[in-house]
């Protein structure tokens, strides 16, 4: 099953963004196996930081709406 | 005659090995019954959902593991210890209230997906835990509960 981000419910979107945040943060994505033959796909520290920030902002903004 | 002797010795060696590995260090993860941050004690969940979570998830995903007797016998002990440790690390219902809203929502989304797609409870666990088996309708109940509970967190 493939879903696109824009069709997800808010709750599921937050869940997916949180999952993205987690795997980028702990470095489990992109997978080390993949980077072995495509090292240029590795994320720089700056790229990592902007992905994390993007996920954070989108999550927090959607959680705050309820107040 | 010669072959009979061979199997006799194989049996003895096998038994000796089983006995020997019992001496190896390694403990099962601890069990704790008093969990102030538990999901079920802090949320008024529907009885059916609570019962399913207890019987099908809590052995690995809480501190209230019910270890069967054979989980004290190596090498089963190693497998049970590993799965319980990994399970609690991925999601521990006994620590539910300590999680952020976003972490809860991610967990609920994964609970729905994994239970509906039959990745959880793990098939190897179900082999020996008949009471943990879920019907398709049980699985769907969990899926819908996870979705609804997650939405509730946003209200």
């Amino acid at each position: 099953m493939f879903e696109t981000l824009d069709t997800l419910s808010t709750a599921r979107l937050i869940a997916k963004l949180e999952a993205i945040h987690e795997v980028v943060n702990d470095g489990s994505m992109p997978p080390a196996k993949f980077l072995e033959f495509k090292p240029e796909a590795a994320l720089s520290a700056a790229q990592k930081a902007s992905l994390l920030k993007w996920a954070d902002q989108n999550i927090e903004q959607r959680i705050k709406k309820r107040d | 005659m010669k072959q009979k002797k061979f199997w006799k010795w194989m049996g003895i060696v096998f038994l000796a090995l089983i006995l020997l590995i019992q001496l190896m260090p390694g403990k099962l993860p601890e069990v704790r019954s008093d969990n102030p941050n538990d999901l079920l004690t802090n949320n008024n969940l529907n009885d059916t959902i609570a019962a399913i979570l207890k019987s099908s998830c809590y052995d690995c995903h809480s501190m209230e593991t019910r270890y069967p007797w054979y989980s004290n016998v190596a090498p089963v002990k190693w497998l049970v210890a590993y799965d319980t440790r990994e399970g609690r690390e991925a999601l521990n219902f006994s620590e539910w209230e300590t999680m952020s809203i976003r972490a809860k929502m991610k967990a609920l989304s994964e609970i729905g997906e994994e239970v509906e797609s039959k990745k959880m409870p793990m098939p190897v666990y179900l082999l020996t835990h008949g009471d943990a088996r879920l019907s398709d309708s049980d699985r769907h109940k969990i899926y819908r509960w996870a979705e609804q509970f997650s939405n509730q967190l946003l209200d």
Side-chain angles (χ1 to χ4, degrees), chain B residues 83-114:
Chain B
D83 284 344
T84 309
R85 212 173 295 120
E86 294 275 304
R88 288 177 181 177
E89 205 182 296
L91 172 64
N92 190 340
F93 285 124
S94 302
E95 307 293 343
W96 183 258
E97 297 305 327
T98 67
M99 292 165 64
S100 63
I101 292 185
R102 48 196 273 182
K104 287 178 182 171
M105 294 178 80
K106 173 178 172 262
L108 288 165
S109 157
E110 290 181 352
I111 291 169
E113 280 171 13
E114 302 212 359

Side-chain angles (χ1 to χ4, degrees), chain B residues 110-120 139 143:
Chain B
E110 290 181 352
I111 291 169
E113 280 171 13
E114 302 212 359
V115 170
E116 182 92 330
S117 67
K118 306 193 177 170
K119 284 193 196 130
M120 282 287 157
R139 289 180 186 275
Y143 183 87

Side-chain angles (χ1 to χ4, degrees), chain A residues 16 18 22 56 60 66, chain B residues 101-102 105-106 113 154:
Chain A
K16 294 297 172 191
E18 176 67 4
E22 219 175 277
D56 264 335
E60 294 308 327
R66 71 212 169 99
Chain B
I101 292 185
R102 48 196 273 182
M105 294 178 80
K106 173 178 172 262
E113 280 171 13
L154 276 181

Side-chain angles (χ1 to χ4, degrees), chain A residues 1 3 9-12 14-19 21-22 52 55-56 59-60 62-63 65-66, chain B residues 90 100-110 112-113 143 146-147 150-155:
Chain A
M1 178 185 55
E3 300 164 309
S9 69
T10 305
R12 209 159 274 270
I14 293 173
K16 294 297 172 191
L17 288 167
E18 176 67 4
H21 190 281
E22 219 175 277
L52 294 178
D56 264 335
I59 293 168
E60 294 308 327
R62 282 170 175 81
I63 290 180
K65 251 196 207 149
R66 71 212 169 99
Chain B
S100 63
I101 292 185
R102 48 196 273 182
K104 287 178 182 171
M105 294 178 80
K106 173 178 172 262
L108 288 165
S109 157
E110 290 181 352
E113 280 171 13
Y143 183 87
E147 198 163 60
S150 188
N151 282 324
Q152 212 174 299
L153 294 175
L154 276 181
D155 289 343

Side-chain angles (χ1 to χ4, degrees), chain B residues 21-48:
Chain B
I21 61 173
Q22 304 311 317
L23 302 174
M24 292 177 70
K27 267 201 290 190
L28 292 169
E30 66 156 325
V31 173
R32 215 173 54 207
S33 54
D34 183 33
N35 302 296
N37 291 312
D38 182 69
L39 169 74
L40 296 178
T41 42
N42 289 283
N43 297 276
N44 201 3
L45 300 190
N46 168 300
D47 286 347
T48 314

Side-chain angles (χ1 to χ4, degrees), chain A residues 21-39:
Chain A
H21 190 281
E22 219 175 277
V23 294
V24 171
N25 197 31
D26 68 15
S28 56
M29 282 286 165
K33 275 245 155 63
F34 169 69
L35 293 178
E36 264 173 36
F37 67 91
K38 211 180 170 194

